[in-house]
Structure formats: C-alpha cells, structure tokens
Amino acid sequence: MRALRRLLIVVLVLGVLFVVVDRVAVHFAESEAADKLKTSEGLTDTPDVSIKGFPFLTQVAGGELDDIEVGIRNYEAPSGDGGEKIRIDDLNADMKGVKFTGDYSSATAATATGTALISYDELLRTAKAEPTQVAPGVTARVVRLSDGGNGKIKVAVEATVLGKTLPDPVTVLSSVTVQGKTVKVHADTLPRFGGVQPAEGRVRAVTDFQQAVDQLPGGIRIDSVRAAQKGVEITVKGSDVRLAG
C-alpha cells in the first residue's frame, strides 16, 4: 500500500511538472510569435497571440497547432497607389491548423476567420471633404457619419445655397457593401437642399464614396461589412494565411 501511495505521488508530481512546463513553453511561444508577427507586418504595437489547446508540447511535436487567436489593436492598411492608409481597429482572427517550420521561422494557418472595425471618423476621411457644386449656386459636402440603425449609415451633408450655409445638415441613410477589396457607401435616397433637387449624378458625387483596403495581415481578406454603433464592422477570412516568415 505504501509503495502504491508513493507511486501515485510520483505520478501526480510528474503530471504537475508536465503542466507547468507545458504552460511555460506555450507562454514563451506566444511571446515569440507576437514578436515575429509585429516585425513581419510592421506593426507599431505588439499583437496579442493566444495558443489554444492542451497539451501544447504534443502539438509542437506533431508540427501543427490546432488553434491560434491573434488580436491587433490598430493596423494601418494600404488603401491606394498614392501611399494612403486606413486604420483598422480591433482586428481579431482565429487561425486553425497552423503548421510551422522546424526552426519556427515561418508559420501558415490552413484557415482564418475574424472581425475588425473601421471607425466612422476613419471612413469619413474618404468622403468629399471639400464643398462640391451639385447645382447652380448650391455646394455640398459630407461632414459626419454615424450609425443609422438596421445596418445603415447615417450620412450628414452640409449644404450652402447662394452663399448661405443651411443651419442643419441634411441626413440620408446609406447602405454599405464590399466588392473585392473595396468598401462602398451608397445613399438609399437622394437629399434635397433648400428645396433644390440636384441631378442624381451630382448628388451622388458627394453622398456616395468608397474606400479600398488593399492588404490585411497574412493575406486575409474582407468577407462582409455591416454598419454598427461605432463604425463599419467587417468580417474577414482567408486560407493559407501567413503568420510569420
């Protein structure tokens, strides 16, 4: 009985040691992965990397990790040939089936899904900031974007009629869609300015606009978009997504 008790104690101690070593190893791996991702993507802040699944060491021995979650608070995505960038907030991605090389210099996920946010202030930078003539004696410009409810964007348009700026911006509800790498905002109805109804093409030159998002980390891409309280929520997905190397 005493020998059995000793054996059980030894097994218990070894089990605890294995768990401790496993957790230390995963913490080290998360830190290394975060540093490599920060360098490879040129990030200002170190991303959050969380390796899921237990035990970690047996996954390493097999050369593939089941699940890695990555969080990037602010990502400056290229958005045009002129070197422009757009800030993507709170990019969170869940990477499945992550294979890595023996020296850990590179890692690729079989699939990735996630979410992110383009704030209304950030999206506003792509709209018409300067007054644009929409009819004789009438100019207009977008001055504010906000949540319009039911997945719509409320677009506030400031108008000047015969040199006098109207006291209140005209608001329209707009739909947001994605086509390829481009997020598009399209007015559902056309506004009137001081009783003047400009031609559709001239109005849409102000109310409608688009923003390219040419590159997201690792080659993931925008899958869908939806207007929400703080901005345009986007879902992302990808395959053979590169985490490093």
Side-chain angles (χ1 to χ4, degrees):
M1 183 65 68
R2 183 176 300 176
L4 179 59
R5 185 181 299 113
R6 288 176 179 175
L7 177 61
L8 290 175
I9 292 173
V10 170
V11 171
L12 179 61
V13 170
L14 290 176
V16 171
L17 288 176
F18 176 79
V19 171
V20 171
V21 171
D22 191 83
R23 294 302 89 190
V24 170
V26 77
H27 179 73
F28 176 78
E30 288 171 344
S31 178
E32 287 293 303
D35 289 340
K36 287 183 179 296
L37 184 58
K38 178 182 179 181
T39 300
S40 64
E41 295 294 340
L43 303 177
T44 302
D45 300 322
T46 301
D48 297 322
V49 175
S50 179
I51 299 175
K52 303 299 181 180
F54 178 84
F56 166 70
L57 293 175
T58 57
Q59 295 182 67
V60 171
E64 181 175 331
L65 302 178
D66 297 334
D67 188 357
I68 296 181
E69 293 182 359
V70 176
I72 300 175
R73 287 178 289 278
N74 297 301
Y75 180 76
E76 298 288 334
S79 61
D81 297 331
E84 297 89 354
K85 292 187 176 182
I86 182 169
R87 190 181 76 250
I88 308 295
D89 295 326
D90 300 325
L91 175 58
N92 296 286
D94 188 12
M95 313 286 188
K96 301 289 189 181
V98 181
K99 294 183 178 181
F100 50 88
T101 58
D103 59 358
Y104 307 106
S105 60
S106 66
T108 303
T111 61
T113 57
T115 59
L117 179 78
I118 302 176
S119 71
Y120 287 124
D121 286 343
E122 190 69 9
L123 191 59
L124 180 62
R125 296 195 301 110
T126 69
K128 292 286 185 181
E130 297 298 325
T132 299
Q133 183 172 335
V134 295
V138 181
T139 61
R141 69 186 182 105
V142 176
V143 292
R144 186 172 61 255
L145 303 178
S146 59
D147 180 19
N150 297 318
K152 301 290 185 178
I153 297 177
K154 182 186 292 185
V155 180
V157 183
E158 181 184 79
T160 300
V161 180
L162 300 177
K164 182 179 180 179
T165 300
L166 300 182
D168 298 311
V170 177
T171 61
V172 296
L173 292 179
S174 298
S175 299
V176 58
T177 58
V178 61
Q179 183 175 357
K181 298 179 180 180
T182 303
V183 176
K184 296 185 175 184
V185 178
H186 181 83
D188 294 349
T189 58
L190 298 178
R192 297 174 65 89
F193 304 107
V196 178
Q197 179 65 72
E200 179 175 355
R202 288 184 175 273
V203 178
R204 290 200 180 280
V206 175
T207 61
D208 296 7
F209 53 93
Q210 61 186 36
Q211 172 65 61
V213 182
D214 290 337
Q215 182 178 323
L216 290 173
I220 57 177
R221 64 186 185 278
I222 298 177
D223 183 49
S224 65
V225 294
R226 183 181 185 277
Q229 183 177 3
K230 295 182 179 180
V232 174
E233 294 176 344
I234 65 177
T235 60
V236 298
K237 69 178 183 180
S239 56
D240 295 327
V241 176
R242 176 181 50 80
L243 275 74

